[in-house]
């Protein structure tokens, strides 16, 4: 016999020996193997098989040869049930040996320290996942393949935690460094998707099987498939929590750019088990599955380096797929929020964690509604449900959104997956013709979060507010014109619908009282939202909610709800409005992208957010009376129909239709808002972004006043901080200890915004024409009166009163049509408090102009001094008329004693100034 033939025969004999060994000892767990190893000599164990055979196994050789042997079997064998069964036995043994490795030096040297064996173990997992994707044709197989394959996918994943590291951050680093990481990501997601489809098929046909088999047998099988599916998805979720893996996944075109992750998410979100509604284990498992896949999407959407939603929007097909996923998210929210927690009862003695399904769905809805590609879609399909929520009785609304306690809250947990037990249940089930003899498999759940009940409820409410703020947000010259008031009009129209179908377990207010009930609920939400600042909400979200509330008040007509109720009775519950009987307008197929952006000094710091003067109140009163009294101008159903038609067909200036119709209340509101938008246009600061793609999203205020002050002081020593990434990261970590978390990317954007804002203010702050007597002093003084336009007589020039008083001025310039500002004297009794973001003029005690600037802060404390008690506010001076060494009215070592000193200490010329010596700019 030649030498080559001898080696070949030896190899075959060795393979045969390994096959018999795998089949014999896979039933020994790590504790049993450990006992045999302690009693062995030379690492060779002795045990008696079920057939009475005495077997000797060299565990050292078994550990060294088994990974490569399984790869060889995988490559050479047919794709059948026998292969799945054998692979599952082999991986079961490998996992037990990996568990024993820390206790036995020889095993540790082979399985954990030997680079060659470690690579073979990783390759084995990769190849198993590749081969399993060939079983897609067996998707409708009712035999053992779904069970074996589902177990094999999960066991292969968790073999990596045994042979590489149980620490997910370490495992992520190893996987990302692997040359075949992209292939792994692709086949891993495909394998999980295949397992989900097996589960989906089982749920769809189980009602047929339940008639033939016992219900407990079918329930055990479905529950097992849910467990394997959850374990596999959880593996991907925990890797996505690690930044290196997440960043690499975002670069995978198949999974992100072409929608691979979205396909997986869509399949999981569509899982339903109505026939197992009484099984708390299955219901909870499906809920956790959906919560985990939403968590994966959240991690991808919140990544800093690459915008996942931009990648998705890069092709029409993936964008449509993403919208279908968004639809499923909204349906989850509707289902979850429609259940009254007071009416829920446990279906069994044991309760299972449900996962943060509702909270994650609200987080995703917040992200989708803040993205221009999805905002109108969310508006169309979610506004009716939002209007139903605000139509609740006040008691139900308060308990749902304005309470610190809920009868039921979600609990998140990690499934503690045991490979040996999972593989054993699958092998026993396919070997037995009667599953009733197989005990149910139960896994342990490890609670994930120590989130308090109050924290959970407050997060839930804050997300509710943010969704409304996102949908109603409109930024001129960034959003498309057809987006203006789209949510407001849609919301108002949906209020005429019957909300009881959407929230059947709640009580509602109907008839003429509905308008006041909706306003009362909104008012309560506003009041409660104020208490969530700054921990859960920022001021900008609250401002946008208040703007929405004020505009809604202008348009709501109580008589409309009475008319709608009468017509509902006539229509036997049908919708009274022609608008409400048809599908909402499709605003998704448009040319161009919505571009939305809000700077730190939000343009939505509107006049009605702070103190409104009597002129504004009178104007609002007239507007409301006009809308209620004049039916031709009120928001009737036909009026709403025209509004909806205008939304669907983008309005163009000079339209024949619009020119022939009189202005109704909505036209007035739209015109007033367009004017206000023009007012804010110059005040809006263009956010400087590192990439064009991030312009679509509305930027929120990311830092509180203390954090801003810390950064201003730091910039005195590091004026070019934005160029030093390490320094930015260091300060981001420091800032997170003084308020909400600030990421490196957010801080860099803030620095760029600040630099752009200062440059813009210096460039655009145009001084008014120097009047001879802009600030008239006493009668007969040296300065002569400057002609002014009285607020109650436009176009008529009068001589101002010589009586000194507090004046209210506002800048109304637009970049397209700048006009010279003038100064209006309203009198002391009509003093209007200045607001952050307004452009103002500073004067001294004699009324002489000191300079021009912009209001920075009007409430709270600034460097230990109360602005309310001192009657002052903080301003940024951008055009100083006085000498730079002039002493400040509120000198301080921290903020400076002069204008020049303040600029040196703070980086900007930011000073405290008496409110009665500050005047706002108003156009002619």
């Amino acid at each position: 016999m030649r030498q080559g033939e001898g080696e070949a025969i030896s190899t075959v004999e060795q393979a045969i020996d390994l096959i018999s060994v795998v089949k014999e000892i896979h039933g020994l767990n790590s504790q049993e193997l450990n006992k045999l190893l302690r009693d062995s000599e030379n690492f060779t164990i002795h045990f008696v098989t079920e057939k009475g055979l005495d077997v000797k196994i060299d565990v050292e050789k078994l550990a060294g040869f088994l990974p490569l042997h399984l790869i060889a079997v995988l490559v050479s064998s047919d794709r059948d049930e026998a292969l799945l069964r054998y692979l599952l036995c082999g991986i079961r043994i490998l996992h037990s040996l990996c568990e024993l490795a820390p206790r036995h030096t020889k095993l540790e040297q082979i399985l954990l320290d030997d680079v060659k064996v470690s690579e073979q173990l990783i390759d084995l997992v990769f190849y198993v996942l590749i081969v399993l994707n060939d079983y897609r044709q067996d998707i409708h197989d009712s035999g053992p393949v779904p069970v074996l394959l589902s177990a094999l996918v999960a066991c292969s994943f968790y073999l990596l935690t045994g042979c590489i590291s149980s620490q997910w951050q370490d495992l992520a680093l190893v996987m990302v460094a692997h040359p075949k990481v992209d292939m792994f990501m692709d086949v891993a997601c495909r394998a999980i998707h295949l397992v989900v489809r097996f589960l989906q098929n089982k749920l769809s046909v189980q009602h047929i099987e339940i008639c033939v088999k016992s219900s407990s047998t079918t329930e055990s099988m479905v529950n097992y498939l849910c467990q394997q599916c959850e374990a596999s998805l959880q593996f991907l979720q925990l890797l996505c929590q690690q930044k290196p893996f997440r960043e690499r996944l975002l670069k995978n075109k198949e999974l992100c750019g072409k929608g691979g992750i979205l396909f997986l998410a869509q399949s999981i979100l569509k899982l339903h088990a109505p026939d197992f509604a009484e099984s708390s284990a299955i219901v909870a498992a499906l809920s956790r599955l959906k919560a985990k896949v939403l968590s994966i999407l959240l991690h991808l959407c919140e990544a800093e380096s690459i915008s996942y939603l931009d990648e998705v929007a890069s092709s029409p097909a993936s964008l449509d797929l993403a919208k279908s996923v968004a639809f499923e998210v909204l349906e989850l929210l509707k289902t979850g929020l429609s259940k009254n927690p007071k009416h829920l009862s446990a279906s069994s003695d044991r309760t299972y964690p449900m996962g943060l399904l509702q909270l994650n769905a609200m987080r995703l809805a917040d992200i989708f509604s803040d993205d221009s590609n999805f905002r109108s879609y969310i508006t169309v399909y979610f506004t009716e449900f939002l209007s139903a929520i605000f139509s609740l009785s006040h008691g139900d609304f308060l308990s749902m959104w304005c309470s610190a306690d809920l009868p039921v809250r979600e609990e998140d947990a990690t499934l503690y997956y045991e490979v040996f037990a999972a593989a054993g249940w699958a092998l026993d089930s396919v070997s037995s013709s009667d599953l009733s003899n197989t005990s149910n498999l139960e896994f342990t759940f490890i609670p994930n979060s120590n989130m308090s009940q109050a924290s959970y409820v407050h997060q839930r409410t804050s997300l509710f507010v943010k969704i409304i703020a996102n949908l109603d947000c409109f930024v001129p010259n960034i959003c498309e014109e057809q987006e203006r008031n789209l949510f407001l009009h849609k919301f108002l129209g949906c209020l005429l619908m019957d909300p009881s179908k959407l929230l059947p377990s709640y009580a509602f207010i109907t008839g003429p009282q509905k308008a006041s009930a909706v306003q009362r609920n909104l008012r309560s939400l506003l009041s409660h939202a104020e208490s969530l600042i700054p921990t859960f909400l920022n001021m900008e979200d609250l401002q946008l909610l208040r703007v929405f509330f004020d505009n809604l008040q202008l348009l709501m007509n109580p008589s409309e709800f009475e008319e709608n109720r009468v017509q509902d009775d006539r229509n036997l519950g049908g919708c009274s409005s022609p608008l409400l009987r048809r599908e909402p307008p499709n605003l998704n197929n448009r040319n161009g992208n919505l571009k939305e952006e809000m700077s730190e000094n939000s343009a939505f710091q509107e006049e009605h957010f702070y103190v409104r003067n009597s002129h504004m109140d009178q104007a609002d009163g007239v507007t409301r009376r006009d809308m209620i009294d004049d039916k031709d101008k009120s928001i009737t159903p036909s009026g709403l129909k025209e509004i909806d038609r205008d939304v669907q067909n983008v309005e163009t200036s000079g339209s024949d239709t619009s020119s022939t119709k009189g202005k109704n209340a909505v036209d007035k509101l739209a015109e007033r808002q367009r004017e206000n938008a023009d007012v804010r246009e110059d005040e809006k600061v263009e956010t400087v972004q590192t990439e064009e793609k991030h312009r679509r999203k509305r930027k929120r205020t990311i830092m509180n006043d203390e954090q801003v002050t810390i950064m201003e002081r730091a910039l005195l020593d590091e004026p070019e901080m934005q160029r030093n990434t390490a320094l930015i990261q260091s300060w981001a970590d420091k800032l997170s200890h003084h308020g909400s978390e600030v990421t490196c990317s957010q801080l860099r954007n803030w620095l760029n915004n600040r630099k752009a804002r200062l440059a813009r203010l210096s460039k655009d702050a145009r001084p008014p024409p120097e009047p001879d007597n802009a600030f008239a002093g006493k009668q007969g003084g040296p300065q002569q009166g400057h002609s002014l336009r009285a607020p109650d007589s436009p176009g008529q020039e009068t001589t101002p009163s010589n009586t000194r008083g507090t004046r209210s001025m506002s800048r109304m310039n637009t970049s397209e049509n700048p006009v010279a500002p003038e100064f209006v004297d309203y009198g002391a009794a009509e003093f209007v408090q200045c607001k952050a973001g307004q452009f103002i003029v500073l004067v001294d005690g004699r009324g002489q102009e000191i300079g021009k600037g912009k209001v920075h802060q009007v409430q709270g404390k600034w460097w230990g001094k109360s602005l309310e008690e001192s009657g002052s506010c903080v301003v940024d001076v951008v055009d100083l008329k006085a000498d730079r060494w002039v002493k400040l009215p509120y000198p301080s070592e921290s903020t400076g004693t002069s204008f020049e000193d303040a600029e040196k200490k703070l980086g900007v010329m930011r000073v405290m100034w008496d409110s009665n010596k500050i005047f706002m700019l108003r156009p002619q």
Side-chain angles (χ1 to χ4, degrees), residues 406-464:
L406 281 177
V408 179
R409 58 160 289 189
E410 298 176 313
E411 294 183 1
D412 195 20
T414 298
L415 176 72
Y416 184 75
Y417 188 71
E418 299 178 54
V419 172
F420 185 85
W425 196 96
L427 293 169
D428 291 343
S429 67
V430 298
S431 301
S432 174
S433 58
D434 187 5
L435 273 181
S436 59
N437 297 327
T438 305
S439 60
N440 287 332
L441 182 63
E442 296 287 348
F443 289 117
T444 303
F445 292 97
I446 304 173
N448 279 347
S449 174
N450 295 323
M451 186 191 309
S452 65
Q453 173 80 358
S455 178
Y456 172 84
V457 174
H458 292 333
Q459 283 192 42
R460 186 171 170 270
T461 302
S462 67
L463 289 168
F464 182 61

Side-chain angles (χ1 to χ4, degrees), residues 128-201:
V128 166
L129 296 175
I130 292 172
V131 169
L132 293 183
N133 279 277
D134 293 338
Y135 285 82
R136 291 185 176 275
Q137 67 273 12
D138 300 315
I139 195 69
H140 299 292
D141 192 334
S142 58
V145 171
V147 177
L148 292 172
L149 189 144
S150 299
L152 195 51
V153 171
C155 291
S156 298
F157 283 144
Y158 286 88
L159 178 60
L160 293 174
T161 63
C163 66
I164 297 178
S165 174
S166 59
Q167 300 299 315
W168 293 97
Q169 60 269 30
D170 296 335
L171 179 59
L173 290 174
V174 172
M175 299 306 295
V176 170
H178 197 281
K180 298 178 182 177
V181 60
D182 291 317
M183 181 201 71
F184 168 75
M185 291 177 174
D186 188 36
V187 296
C189 288
R190 290 175 184 271
I192 297 174
H193 194 194
L194 182 59
V195 173
V196 173
R197 292 181 64 189
F198 278 132
L199 175 59
Q200 191 175 40
N201 180 65

Side-chain angles (χ1 to χ4, degrees), residues 338-440:
S338 64
K339 298 176 182 177
N340 193 331
K342 299 177 183 178
H343 300 165
L344 297 179
S345 59
S347 58
S348 64
D349 295 334
R350 178 174 179 181
T351 59
Y352 298 87
M354 304 288 287
L356 299 180
L357 178 59
Q358 192 179 115
L359 201 63
N360 286 346
M362 295 191 72
R363 287 168 178 164
L364 264 182
D366 172 33
I367 292 174
F368 282 137
S369 62
D370 197 26
D371 189 277
S372 63
N373 291 307
F374 299 91
R375 180 179 294 105
S376 60
Y377 187 87
I378 303 297
T379 300
V380 168
Y381 290 105
F382 200 52
T383 304
E384 182 182 357
F385 190 79
L386 291 175
S387 69
I389 290 176
F390 283 103
S391 302
L392 290 172
S393 65
H394 193 58
D396 281 345
F397 184 85
L398 290 180
S399 64
M400 191 176 187
W401 298 109
C402 302
S403 171
D405 189 22
L406 281 177
V408 179
R409 58 160 289 189
E410 298 176 313
E411 294 183 1
D412 195 20
T414 298
L415 176 72
Y416 184 75
Y417 188 71
E418 299 178 54
V419 172
F420 185 85
W425 196 96
L427 293 169
D428 291 343
S429 67
V430 298
S431 301
S432 174
S433 58
D434 187 5
L435 273 181
S436 59
N437 297 327
T438 305
S439 60
N440 287 332

Side-chain angles (χ1 to χ4, degrees), residues 139-140 196-209 222 270-276:
I139 195 69
H140 299 292
V196 173
R197 292 181 64 189
F198 278 132
L199 175 59
Q200 191 175 40
N201 180 65
K202 192 67 176 177
L203 292 173
S204 64
V205 301
Q206 59 80 28
H207 63 277
I208 300 176
E209 296 181 356
V222 172
K270 287 186 175 182
L271 290 174
H272 298 286
D275 293 311
F276 291 114

Side-chain angles (χ1 to χ4, degrees), residues 197-250:
R197 292 181 64 189
F198 278 132
L199 175 59
Q200 191 175 40
N201 180 65
K202 192 67 176 177
L203 292 173
S204 64
V205 301
Q206 59 80 28
H207 63 277
I208 300 176
E209 296 181 356
I210 207 169
C211 300
V212 183
K213 302 179 182 180
S214 66
S215 59
S216 60
T217 299
T218 306
E219 183 176 339
S220 297
M221 180 63 69
V222 172
N223 186 42
Y224 179 79
L225 292 177
C226 287
Q227 291 171 341
Q228 305 313 302
C229 189
E230 180 180 1
S232 298
L233 185 67
Q234 179 178 277
F235 182 87
L236 182 62
Q237 177 205 11
L238 293 173
L239 281 179
C240 285
Q241 290 179 1
Q242 314 307 315
K243 184 177 180 180
F245 189 88
R246 181 172 64 246
E247 298 288 334
R248 186 58 181 263
L249 180 61
L250 285 167

